[in-house]
Amino acid sequence: MPNEKGTTLYNLQKHFQAIFGFTLPMFHGRGILNYNFGLMPYRRSIVSVFGRPIDVQKVERPSTEEVLKVHAQYIEEVKRIWEKYKNEYARQRTKELRIL
């Protein structure tokens, strides 16, 4: 839903924000009995992919080195999952995985 500066919707949100200190997100979806208007989400398939478990020992106060080690394992598993499933579930992607 477009919400450019100067539109009625934009002005309503800004007025609400001035009064209450926050603004409500504007969203729309499908209805229960109709598909054109409502607040229910549109029907879309959701795909969940799980990786291998990462063994982590419970440590009361882990050192930075220990945290970085587990973090590196996690990042490697995310990359492995991406490489394995990207062509199956993200065929129309416009970008590749970037980890900052």
Side-chain angles (χ1 to χ4, degrees):
M1 178 178 283
N3 190 16
E4 282 86 30
K5 197 172 191 176
T7 62
T8 305
L9 180 59
Y10 179 87
N11 291 334
L12 278 170
Q13 282 188 313
K14 282 301 184 183
H15 184 69
F16 187 93
Q17 184 178 22
I19 294 170
F20 297 105
F22 65 94
T23 185
L24 295 174
M26 298 306 293
F27 54 89
H28 66 91
R30 66 178 180 89
I32 295 173
L33 300 174
N34 66 7
Y35 206 77
N36 298 331
F37 179 76
L39 297 178
M40 292 183 62
Y42 290 109
R43 292 183 178 127
R44 301 281 187 265
S45 62
I46 297 175
V47 176
S48 297
V49 179
F50 297 90
R52 298 180 192 126
I54 297 173
D55 252 352
V56 180
Q57 301 300 320
K58 185 172 182 176
V59 178
E60 189 67 34
R61 293 186 180 181
S63 67
T64 304
E65 194 176 275
E66 292 170 316
V67 171
L68 291 176
K69 180 183 171 192
V70 174
H71 181 260
Q73 290 175 320
Y74 174 78
I75 296 299
E76 284 307 310
E77 186 61 15
V78 168
K79 288 178 183 178
R80 186 192 70 76
I81 292 169
W82 172 254
E83 290 302 322
K84 182 175 181 178
Y85 294 107
K86 68 181 179 183
N87 293 324
E88 188 173 346
Y89 297 117
R91 283 187 206 111
Q92 298 180 7
R93 65 187 178 277
T94 57
K95 297 181 181 181
E96 291 296 319
L97 176 67
R98 276 183 42 194
I99 297 177
L100 306 176

